Amino acid sequence: MRFKKQKRHRKAVRFYTTCFGFREPFKVLFDGTFVHHLLVNNITPADTAVANTLGAPVKIFTTRCVLAELRSLGDPYAESFSAARNLLIARCEHDKRKSAVDCMIDVIGENNSEHFFVATQDAELRKKFQELPGVPVIYGLRNALFLEKPSAFQYQFAKAAEAQRSHMSDLEHKRLKMKKKTASIEEQEDFPDANESMEDQNSRAQPLEINRRRKGGDIKDKVQFKRKKAKGPNPLSCKRKKTPGNTNKVSSVKESHDDTTMRSRKRKRSRKTKSVSEAPV
């Protein structure tokens, strides 16, 4: 049961934060009946009890009119008056004291611009705030605190506000038209050739087509072959050029080689044969 209650409270808090812009720490506005209920049922400290209900840190407020009403109730509410004096004071801007109900209605206003959570035990005040958009209500039941489920009116108001945000207003539509006009004027100034008529463009294109026909149609459609050019000889297969200095050296080397071969070929005669032939018989 406790888990279901916490889940329901988280869902309600998420609804008010996403649709109406409530932010942490949440501001809670107490009236005299709720302060008295907390003291009677020993739900203390009040800030931790309310923070556990909402699942986030809180700041607790009350008004001067609520304090004046608690003081006027006498001794049975003296302890509640002393406890309410320690709370933060929200501006009510009432010169003369009003009833607590009227004061809290004035502080909340029509749209709850201050994003207050209202904590009260008054049944009529709870119904009144259920008819206003974006006013969550906290109430006590014995020793437990509850956050009321958002009403059908609040759900419908949130859907209508979301649909209105998605559509464009008249002022935004006019601004968009003005931006389009200024953008078109700037484009015309930057690109004046874009304003030429189609006839001028066609008249320019006609002589080009005539020249193409004279030349024999589009060149891109014809198959083109590359002619082979005459290339030079392969440098690796060619002999080196002979320089005059190298030829003299080669001829001198050849002559020296021929002399050596001729000398080696000459026959040597022995002296013994000559001596034998010249001796007397």
Side-chain angles (χ1 to χ4, degrees):
M1 186 70 182
R2 187 176 179 181
F3 177 75
K4 290 182 179 180
K5 183 182 75 171
Q6 291 177 354
K7 186 177 180 180
R8 186 172 65 251
H9 289 172
R10 284 198 301 269
K11 187 177 180 180
V13 170
R14 195 182 304 114
F15 170 77
Y16 289 111
T17 53
T18 55
C19 297
F20 295 99
F22 283 71
R23 295 291 178 268
E24 300 179 6
F26 297 130
K27 294 187 291 185
V28 185
L29 186 63
F30 281 17
D31 70 344
T33 59
F34 192 79
V35 174
H36 184 70
H37 178 80
L38 293 178
L39 292 175
V40 170
N41 292 280
N42 294 323
I43 305 174
T44 56
D47 53 353
T48 56
V50 176
N52 292 332
T53 303
L54 301 180
V58 296
K59 291 182 180 180
I60 301 175
F61 293 83
T62 189
T63 63
R64 293 177 181 177
C65 296
V66 172
L67 293 175
E69 188 178 63
L70 286 173
R71 183 187 293 176
S72 65
L73 292 175
D75 294 336
Y77 290 89
E79 189 177 358
S80 301
F81 172 71
S82 60
R85 289 179 63 184
N86 297 325
L87 304 179
L88 299 173
I89 304 299
R91 290 183 180 181
C92 59
E93 297 180 357
H94 295 146
D95 297 334
K96 295 181 179 180
R97 183 174 69 86
K98 282 188 174 184
S99 64
V101 174
D102 295 336
C103 179
M104 294 189 72
I105 290 172
D106 291 341
V107 171
I108 295 299
E110 295 180 357
N111 298 319
N112 192 11
S113 58
E114 295 293 329
H115 299 102
F116 278 116
F117 283 79
V118 178
T120 181
Q121 293 296 110
D122 192 345
E124 293 181 359
L125 191 60
R126 286 165 54 186
K127 290 180 181 179
K128 176 68 177 179
F129 287 139
Q130 285 288 307
E131 296 175 358
L132 296 176
V135 184
V137 178
I138 301 172
Y139 65 96
L141 186 61
R142 295 179 182 176
N143 60 349
L145 300 180
F146 295 89
L147 176 63
E148 283 194 356
K149 184 181 178 180
S151 62
F153 172 77
Q154 291 177 349
Y155 277 117
Q156 291 177 359
F157 183 85
K159 288 181 180 180
E162 186 178 359
Q164 188 176 2
R165 270 188 247 109
S166 62
H167 293 293
M168 190 181 297
S169 63
D170 295 336
L171 181 60
E172 292 175 346
H173 190 64
K174 290 179 181 179
R175 288 178 180 176
L176 183 62
K177 283 185 177 180
M178 291 296 293
K179 286 182 180 180
K180 287 182 178 180
K181 287 182 180 180
T182 53
S184 62
I185 292 168
E186 289 177 357
E187 286 180 358
Q188 291 176 3
E189 292 177 355
D190 294 338
F191 303 100
D193 296 336
N195 297 324
E196 293 181 357
S197 61
M198 293 297 293
E199 294 179 357
D200 297 336
Q201 294 178 1
N202 294 328
S203 62
R204 291 182 181 179
Q206 285 178 358
L208 294 174
E209 291 179 357
I210 293 167
N211 292 330
R212 285 178 182 175
R213 289 174 183 175
R214 289 177 181 176
K215 291 179 181 180
D218 295 334
I219 299 171
K220 293 181 180 179
D221 296 337
K222 292 183 178 181
V223 181
Q224 296 180 359
F225 297 97
K226 292 182 179 180
R227 294 181 179 179
K228 293 183 179 181
K229 296 180 180 180
K231 297 181 180 179
N234 189 0
L236 298 176
S237 63
C238 297
K239 294 183 179 180
R240 294 181 181 179
K241 293 181 179 181
K242 297 180 180 180
T243 56
N246 291 332
T247 55
N248 294 328
K249 289 180 181 179
V250 172
S251 61
S252 61
V253 170
K254 284 183 178 181
E255 289 177 357
S256 61
H257 182 69
D258 294 338
D259 294 339
T260 53
T261 53
M262 289 294 290
R263 288 176 186 175
S264 61
R265 287 178 183 178
K266 286 182 180 181
R267 185 175 181 182
K268 293 181 180 181
R269 295 178 180 180
S270 61
R271 292 180 180 180
K272 290 181 179 181
T273 57
K274 192 184 268 188
S275 59
V276 170
S277 60
E278 288 180 357
V281 180

